[in-house]
């Protein structure tokens, strides 16, 4: 990556979760630019605009109004323009059904939202420092769910 920063997007309808997410990145010493969106429709409007800066990693909540995370995931995966975006499902749900569906639909990793700020920072640091180019070639369900 030849950029001076990593572009990261979070789509999540929970205002507190968006705030904790951006605060965590501010405390991490990783060069990132973080954008947040309140729902899936807002996210997809941005991604589909001509002048959008595509993220290296997209954190996607599953339960959002207007367009949920699964719908966004399908839309993103069906568009070749978005082929280089690593998608991290970022949800309070740990249901096997959600994990299975997002894995089969092409997400790169599934993260259950941590309950405390320090764990959140550790999770985000781990996800951002993964070399996705190599990680995605060996994707299997065992390493899909990030356990903390």
């Amino acid at each position: 990556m030849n950029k001076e920063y990593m572009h990261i997007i979070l789509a999540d309808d929970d205002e507190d979760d968006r705030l904790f997410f951006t605060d965590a990145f501010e405390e991490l010493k990783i060069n990132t630019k973080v954008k947040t969106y309140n729902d899936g429709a807002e996210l997809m409007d941005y991604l589909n605009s001509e002048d959008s800066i595509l993220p290296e990693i997209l954190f996607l909540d599953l339960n959002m109004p207007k367009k949920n995370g699964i719908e966004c995931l399908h839309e993103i995966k069906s568009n070749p323009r978005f082929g280089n975006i690593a998608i991290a499902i970022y949800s309070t749900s740990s249901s096997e059904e959600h994990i299975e569906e997002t894995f089969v639909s092409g997400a790169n990793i599934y993260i259950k939202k941590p309950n405390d700020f320090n764990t959140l920072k550790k999770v985000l640091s781990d996800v951002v420092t993964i070399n996705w180019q190599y990680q995605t070639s060996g994707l299997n369900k065992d390493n899909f769910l990030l356990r903390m």
Side-chain angles (χ1 to χ4, degrees), residues 12-110:
D12 193 324
D13 62 317
D14 186 302
E15 188 175 346
D16 288 338
D17 286 346
R18 289 193 311 272
L19 183 63
F20 286 134
F21 187 90
T22 54
D23 285 352
F25 271 113
E26 283 175 14
E27 285 194 18
L28 292 172
K29 300 299 178 217
I30 303 170
N31 286 340
T32 57
K33 285 202 177 179
V34 179
K35 275 189 150 172
T36 62
Y37 294 92
N38 303 329
D39 60 61
E42 197 179 276
L43 167 71
M44 294 313 301
D45 286 347
Y46 171 77
L47 291 178
N48 287 313
S49 70
E50 294 280 324
D51 58 347
S52 66
I53 298 169
L54 297 180
E56 280 79 28
I57 305 174
L58 169 62
F59 290 82
L60 198 53
D61 184 25
L62 291 180
N63 301 311
M64 296 183 288
K66 298 183 186 171
K67 190 175 281 193
N68 68 38
I70 299 285
E71 293 168 314
C72 292
L73 178 60
H74 289 165
E75 199 172 320
I76 290 165
K77 287 300 180 180
S78 69
N79 187 334
R81 179 172 175 247
F82 305 137
N84 290 329
I85 300 173
I87 299 177
I89 302 301
Y90 183 66
S91 180
T92 53
S93 169
S94 57
S95 93
E96 277 301 317
E97 183 182 332
H98 284 147
I99 294 166
E100 181 73 27
E101 183 174 7
T102 55
F103 175 75
V104 169
S105 297
N108 299 90
I109 195 164
Y110 194 105

